[in-house]
Amino acid sequence: MARGVGQLSPARVAGAGALAVVLALTLGTLGAVALRAEFGAGLGPADWAAVRFTLLQAVLSATLSVALAVPVARALARRRFPGRGLLITLLGAPFILPVIVAVLGLIAVFGRSGIVSQMLIWAGSEPVSIYGFQGVVLAHVFFNLPLATRLILQGWLAIPAERFRLAASLDFGTADVARTLERPMLRQVVPGAFLVIFLLCLTSFAVALALGGGPRATTVELAIYQAFRFDFNLGKAALLALVQVAIAGAAALVALRLSLPTEMGAGLDRAVTRWDAARPLLVAQDAALIGVATLFLVLPLVMIAVDGVPALLGLPPSIFAATLRSLAVALISAALTLALALPLSAWIVRGRARLVEMIGTLTIAASPLVIGTGLFILLFPVADPTALALPVTALVNAVMALPFALRALVPALTAIEADYGPLADSLGMTGAARLTRLWLPRLRRPLGFATGLAAALSMGDLGVIAMFASPEGGTLPLALYRLMAAYKMDAAAGAALILLASSLLIFWVFDRGGRVNADA
Amino acid sequence: MLTLDHLEMRWGDWRLTANLSVPTGARVALIGPSGAGKSTLLAAIAGFQMPDAGRVLWDGEDLARKAPAERPVSILFQDNNLFPHLTASQNVGLGLRPDLKLNAEQRAQVKAALARVGLADLGARKPGQLSGGQAARVALARALLRQRPLMLLDEPFGALGPALRAEMLDLVVEIAGETGATLLIVSHDPDDAKRIAGQVIFVEGGKAQPPVGTAEIFAHPPPALTAYLGT
C-alpha cells in the first residue's frame, strides 16, 4: 500500500499531553475514588433507592421525550410555516441553556404558584407540585424533547424526497406512508435517540439537586453530593461515585456499540412535501402539536424574563460578584477546552479517529460529581479544596465540553488537511507555521462555535462548584440555586435572567466572532 | 536528471510501474487515460506517496527519506494551490519562508515575482477576489520564487478555458526556461503536450513509458495511444 508521509511530532506530543490530562481527570480521579471508597458498610436501603430512582427516572424521561418527539418531528417534517427555521434553531437552544435557569422557569409555569396551578385552582382543582419524581422527569423532558425532536427530524429528512413522490404517485395514504417509509426509519433512529437521552438523564445533577431530594427522589449523583456536603462522609461519597461510574459506564459502553447519533448535521431547515397529509384534520393536528410543543419550550423562558426584569434592580451585590466569577470561570474553561481540543484534533486527524468516541465515553462515565469527589480526595491532603473551587470548576467544565469541541473541530480539520495538507507539506509548513498560517485561520468558524459552546456550558454549569464552593464564594448558577433554596424567588428570577442572558451572549459573541470576515 | 528506478506503486489490485529517466531541463507531458496513474506518479516524485518498490532519484540521489518540502520540487495541484485566507503576496511569500517572516529583500522578491506573472497590483487581494487565471498566476509566481529544479504540474489549468490555458502553458514554459527547471505536466489533452513539450510520457495499462519526442510520438502513435486519442 502506498502511504502518505509528513510527520508533525510537536503536534503529536501536544496531543498526547492533552490526552494525559483527560485521562488523569477521568481515570485518575476514578482511581482515587476507588482507593478511598469504604466498602465496609456497603450500600444501605437509601442508596439502593437512589440507584432505582436514577434508572427509573432516566428510563421514563427518555421514553417520554422520544414518544412525544415522534409526532412533533413528524409535524415539523411535513409542514411549512413562517418561523419554522427559527423554531428548529430554538430546539437547539436547551443545549446551552443553564439547567438551573430552566428549572426556575419550569417552577414558574408548573410550580405550586405557577401558571398551571393557578389555572387549576381557578377551575376548582388542586394545585400541582413540581418537586419530586414528576418534577425531575418534567425537567428532563423539557431539556430532551427538543434534542429528540431534532434527532428524529433528521431521520425524517434523510428519507429521500423521491420516495415520498413515489408514494404519492402510487396513491399511498398516511397509514401506507407510515408503514413503508416512516416506521422503518423510526426503528433505526429511535433506539439511538433514546439511549442518548437516557445517558444524559443518568448523569444530570442540577435537576435532581433543585427538584429532587428526599427518600423518593434522590439520584446517585445527588446522594454523592449529600454524603459529601452534609454528612462529610468521603468514604461513602467515594463508594457512591463508584456506583455512578458503574451505571453510567455500562450504559456508555452499550452506547458505544450502537454508534450514537449526533445532531451536528445541517439542513434541517427544509421540509418534505407530502401529498398524503394534506387533509384538514391532519393539518390541525400538526398545528396543535407544534403549538403545544412550542408553548412548552418557550413559556418557561418567557416567565424567566417576565419575573426577572422587575427583580433586576433589587438584586444583592453578591449576585454581580458571582456573575463576574462565572464569566472568569467560563472564559478560562473555554480557553482550556481549546488548549485540549486543538492538539487532540491534530492527533486524531493523523489517524486516531477512535479517540473521539473514547473521550466521549470517558466523560460520560466519569461524571462531574465523580471527578469532583476524586479531585477532592487528591487535593485535600495538599491544599484547601475550597480555595481551588473556581479553577477546579473551570478545568472539569473544560473536560466535559471536550467531546462537543472535538465533534466540531475534527471534521473541519480533516477537511482542511484533505484540501490544503499537500500544499502545506510541499511548502514545508510544519509546527507553528502550519498552526498559525493554516489551521487557526481556516478553523475560525468551528473554533468560534466550540469556544462559545464551551464557555456557555461552563457559564451555566452547576456541578462540581456545588461540592467545592465556600458559602460566600461560588458561581452564578450556585448563587441562583442558593436563592431558590432560600425561597427568595424574586431575587432568583433576576439572577436567572442575568445567567440566561450571559450564557446566550457569551455563546453568541464567540460563535459570531468565528463567522465575521471568515474567508470562504 | 530525474530517474524513476524500477518504481512500483500499488493500490489493491491496481498497480503502476515506471523505469525511466528525464534529462535536466526537459519539458515533458504525461498523457494517458484517467485512472492510469499520472497523478500518482507525480505524487511519488513529490513525496506524497511512498513507492511500494523502486526508487526516485534526482541527479543520482535517492529522495526516499526526504519530506515533500525537502525535495527539489515545486508542485501545482489540480486545485487548492492557494490558501484562501492569505493574500496573493502571502501565498507567494510562503515559497520563501513557510512562517512568512519575510525581510525587506524577500518582500521585494515577492513583488518582483508577482510583477513577472503580470499581477503587480494585485498582491493585496485574496484568492476569492482573483479570477481563475490570476490565481494560477499567483501559484506560478510562487513556483518561480522557489527556484526548485523540478516543476510538477498536475493539471492545474483544467478549470480554465482553452485560450487561457494556452496562455498559462506558455507562461509555464517561459518560467521553466528562466529557472532552468525540468518540467513535468500531467494533461488529458494532447494539444497541451504539443504546445509545451519536447517529450511525452504515455501512461497506460499500468506502465509509464519512457519519454519520447512529442512530434515523433504523434507522427507514429503506438496502438494504445491511438486507442486513447480515438483517431
Side-chain angles (χ1 to χ4, degrees):
Chain A
M1 278 292 158
R3 62 181 174 83
V5 290
Q7 312 264 315
L8 267 181
S9 44
R12 200 166 287 187
V13 171
L19 184 64
V21 171
V22 175
L23 290 179
L25 268 180
T26 51
L27 295 181
T29 52
L30 186 57
V33 164
L35 287 177
R36 186 68 182 76
E38 282 163 17
F39 297 93
L43 294 179
D47 305 323
W48 283 113
V51 171
R52 276 196 304 276
F53 177 75
T54 303
L55 292 171
L56 186 62
Q57 62 83 19
V59 167
L60 196 62
S61 303
T63 308
L64 281 175
S65 298
V66 172
L68 295 172
V70 169
V72 176
R74 183 181 57 201
L76 280 172
R78 65 189 184 187
R79 303 295 169 202
R80 265 175 270 207
F81 53 92
R84 184 178 175 279
L86 183 70
L87 179 57
I88 288 171
T89 307
L90 206 65
L91 290 177
F95 193 72
I96 56 167
L97 183 67
V99 176
I100 194 70
V101 170
V103 166
L104 191 68
L106 287 170
I107 292 175
V109 177
F110 297 98
R112 187 157 275 276
S113 52
I115 301 173
V116 172
S117 285
Q118 282 174 1
M119 288 195 324
L120 285 175
I121 293 169
W122 179 77
S125 217
E126 287 291 303
V128 289
S129 168
I130 194 178
Y131 293 97
F133 186 89
Q134 67 271 33
V136 171
V137 172
L138 178 76
H140 281 159
V141 171
F142 174 82
F143 272 99
N144 294 308
L145 174 60
L147 173 66
T149 304
R150 281 176 69 105
L151 290 174
I152 294 171
L153 180 58
Q154 236 169 31
W156 241 289
L157 296 182
I159 300 176
E162 292 78 9
R163 303 238 174 106
F164 288 112
R165 273 181 227 158
L166 181 63
S169 75
L170 296 174
D171 200 20
F172 274 23
T174 311
D176 304 313
V177 170
R179 192 182 60 248
T180 51
L181 294 178
E182 297 178 323
R183 267 179 233 144
M185 177 279 292
L186 287 175
R187 270 197 291 277
Q188 286 194 330
V189 173
V190 161
F194 177 89
L195 203 55
V196 167
I197 294 167
F198 178 74
L199 275 173
L200 289 172
C201 296
L202 219 49
T203 53
S204 120
F205 167 68
V207 165
L209 177 69
L211 295 174
R216 278 181 301 151
T218 297
T219 60
V220 177
E221 293 224 300
L222 188 56
I224 298 173
Y225 170 77
Q226 286 167 348
F228 184 92
R229 194 84 196 182
F230 301 143
D231 307 337
F232 308 105
N233 189 342
L234 205 50
K236 177 75 173 293
L239 181 62
L240 287 164
L242 283 184
V243 171
Q244 172 69 24
V245 169
I247 297 174
L253 282 179
V254 174
L256 206 56
R257 288 173 176 273
L258 259 173
S259 84
L260 293 183
T262 57
E263 49 126 18
M264 291 287 183
L268 291 180
D269 45 352
R270 69 195 175 82
V272 178
T273 310
R274 289 281 296 271
W275 291 267
D276 57 286
R279 295 207 313 273
L281 194 64
L282 281 183
V283 175
Q285 177 199 317
D286 284 353
L289 277 167
I290 293 170
V292 169
T294 308
L295 209 59
F296 177 55
L297 295 176
V298 171
L299 204 54
L301 299 183
V302 171
M303 291 310 291
I304 294 290
V306 169
D307 291 347
V309 170
L312 280 179
L313 284 176
L315 280 177
S318 63
I319 289 300
F320 297 102
T323 306
L324 290 180
R325 280 196 292 272
S326 265
L327 280 171
V329 167
L331 292 175
I332 292 168
S333 181
L336 284 173
T337 303
L338 287 193
L340 293 171
L342 260 179
L344 275 173
S345 304
W347 210 33
I348 288 163
V349 166
R350 306 258 155 188
R352 302 239 167 203
R354 303 219 47 179
L355 263 183
V356 181
E357 290 168 5
M358 193 191 100
I359 290 169
T361 312
L362 275 177
T363 48
I364 289 174
S367 70
L369 269 279
V370 177
I371 296 179
T373 310
L375 281 176
F376 190 93
I377 293 165
L378 291 171
L379 288 174
F380 191 66
V382 290
D384 174 14
T386 310
L388 294 172
L390 295 182
V392 162
T393 301
L395 183 63
V396 173
N397 287 344
V399 172
M400 287 297 151
L402 192 56
F404 305 108
L406 289 178
R407 228 176 272 162
L409 289 179
V410 168
L413 195 57
T414 306
I416 292 171
E417 279 295 301
D419 288 347
Y420 300 103
L423 176 59
D425 283 343
S426 80
L427 295 170
M429 293 168 72
T430 54
R434 201 177 190 103
L435 179 68
T436 58
R437 295 297 180 181
L438 176 58
W439 287 356
L440 292 183
R442 298 223 58 79
L443 279 174
R444 272 186 58 177
R445 274 161 180 263
L447 273 178
F449 175 77
T451 314
L453 205 60
L457 287 176
S458 175
M459 183 87 207
D461 178 67
L462 177 56
V464 178
I465 188 69
M467 302 178 83
F468 278 47
S470 62
E472 63 280 359
T475 56
L476 186 53
L478 184 60
L480 168 53
Y481 167 67
R482 284 173 177 156
L483 288 173
M484 286 164 67
Y487 293 102
K488 293 180 182 163
M489 285 313 199
D490 283 343
L497 185 58
I498 293 180
L499 179 53
L500 177 63
S502 328
S503 295
L504 297 181
L505 192 69
I506 205 165
F507 173 77
W508 183 82
V509 164
F510 281 112
D511 186 49
R512 180 88 193 134
R515 290 166 193 269
V516 172
N517 291 329
D519 299 293
Chain B
M1 183 168 72
L2 173 72
T3 308
L4 306 180
D5 174 23
H6 294 91
L7 188 72
E8 189 170 331
M9 315 286 290
R10 286 192 289 263
W11 192 272
D13 288 342
W14 184 92
R15 59 181 240 148
L16 173 75
T17 58
N19 190 32
L20 56 88
S21 292
V22 177
T24 302
R27 303 191 300 276
V28 182
L30 282 80
I31 62 174
S34 55
K38 305 184 294 290
S39 296
T40 306
L41 209 57
L42 284 204
I45 298 168
F48 293 112
Q49 283 185 30
M50 297 308 284
D52 295 286
R55 298 184 299 167
V56 178
L57 304 130
W58 176 253
D59 287 343
E61 187 195 1
D62 189 351
L63 299 183
R65 298 195 154 273
K66 288 182 183 276
E70 297 164 355
R71 300 195 176 203
V73 168
S74 305
I75 184 164
L76 266 68
F77 304 101
Q78 287 186 13
D79 41 33
N80 295 326
N81 282 303
L82 302 179
F83 295 111
H85 53 280
L86 300 179
T87 64
S89 291
Q90 286 175 314
N91 268 295
V92 174
L94 284 172
L96 291 173
R97 287 203 56 154
D99 59 4
L100 278 178
K101 287 171 186 152
L102 303 181
N103 60 30
E105 188 195 338
Q106 288 166 324
R107 280 196 293 274
Q109 281 178 276
V110 169
K111 275 192 116 156
L114 278 170
R116 171 65 190 83
V117 297
L119 300 177
D121 302 326
L122 302 184
R125 290 206 188 167
K126 290 188 176 178
Q129 304 163 300
L130 297 172
S131 70
Q134 288 169 334
R137 284 168 189 272
V138 174
L140 276 178
R142 186 175 59 217
L144 177 65
L145 264 195
R146 294 188 79 201
Q147 296 275 356
R148 301 285 168 113
L150 198 48
M151 265 178 87
L152 309 179
L153 281 74
D154 189 359
E155 291 194 74
F157 312 129
L160 305 181
L164 199 50
R165 197 163 76 194
E167 193 183 316
M168 295 309 302
L169 287 172
D170 292 347
L171 184 59
V172 167
V173 171
E174 278 175 45
I175 284 173
E178 287 165 29
T179 59
T182 307
L183 189 62
L184 263 68
I185 295 187
V186 166
S187 176
H188 272 109
D189 188 346
D191 288 340
D192 287 358
K194 290 175 188 160
R195 185 160 194 104
I196 58 115
Q199 293 173 307
V200 164
I201 291 177
F202 183 50
V203 187
E204 197 266 344
K207 191 161 189 276
Q209 307 285 350
V212 183
T214 305
E216 189 187 327
I217 197 169
F218 284 115
H220 308 285
L225 181 57
T226 313
Y228 169 59
L229 295 173
T231 50

